[in-house]
Amino acid sequence: MRLALSLVLLCSLAVSNTGCGESSSNAGGISATSVTPVSIDGSKYVLAEEPDDAIGVIAARESAQDGEPIVVVGRIGGAANPWIEGRAAFTLLDASKLIVAEGVDSGENEMCTGDCCATERAGCTMLVKVVDESGRVLAADSRKLFGLAANDMVVVRGTVSKDESGNVAVLADGVHVRR
């Protein structure tokens, strides 16, 4: 009786795992590689020591040239949601600025998350993308990979990426969190 029950269960599992005639490697049109979680060792991108000669986001935006090495210090923020979901990327805000909620009166060096402050925010924020050796953004959430949170003060080391529209990003190979 146990043998018969075990065979029935085994057959049921085999049928349910194969799907309607499709191979398990491409069931539903999704490749096995797209659903397989990627294991990334974030520790090789964590800088134990803070790099010297870090400049603020505003100064970096004004002086940085495309392709140059750079070290930038700032606070994670500058947007209602400073994270790029599922990627090791975030918005960095100049350390001299603070963000307040939309509709809140802002004081000196404060700006809101609303459209009224969009131009001012653009001048003191930049995108940080932590990239691998081939220049691809790491496919892991930076909050989990590095233990980051909004308003954390970080120093990033990398290369400037500047486009024709004046958008500035850091293609980072190292992140140091000030604790």
Side-chain angles (χ1 to χ4, degrees), residues 4-164:
L5 184 57
S6 296
L7 286 173
V8 169
L9 285 173
L10 185 60
C11 289
S12 296
L13 284 174
V15 169
S16 67
N17 283 339
T18 57
C20 299
E22 294 182 29
S23 73
S24 60
S25 66
N26 196 16
I30 300 173
S31 71
T33 57
S34 67
V35 294
T36 304
V38 177
S39 177
I40 297 173
D41 180 11
S43 66
K44 68 182 191 177
Y45 301 97
V46 174
L47 302 173
E49 299 291 323
E50 183 173 319
D52 293 330
D53 301 327
I55 60 174
V57 173
I58 294 171
R61 289 184 60 83
E62 292 172 356
S63 66
Q65 298 298 315
D66 189 44
E68 287 184 343
I70 194 165
V71 178
V72 181
V73 61
R75 182 183 322 279
I76 295 175
N81 180 9
W83 312 105
I84 306 299
E85 299 296 325
R87 297 288 183 250
F90 51 88
T91 305
L92 195 63
L93 174 68
D94 192 86
S96 69
K97 303 290 184 178
L98 294 173
I99 296 291
V100 296
E102 186 172 358
V104 174
D105 286 335
S106 55
E108 189 176 332
N109 291 328
E110 293 181 334
M111 63 192 106
C112 71
T113 57
D115 291 341
C116 58
C117 295
T119 302
E120 185 180 358
R121 277 195 321 272
C124 59
T125 59
M126 66 175 33
L127 184 62
V128 173
K129 301 186 242 183
V130 183
V131 297
D132 62 15
E133 298 80 21
S134 60
R136 290 183 298 231
V137 179
L138 301 179
D141 195 291
S142 52
R143 292 167 283 192
K144 293 177 184 172
L145 194 61
F146 305 117
L148 297 176
N151 293 318
D152 277 354
M153 189 70 73
V154 297
V155 179
V156 295
R157 179 189 68 201
T159 305
V160 176
S161 175
K162 198 171 193 177
D163 67 18
E164 301 81 33

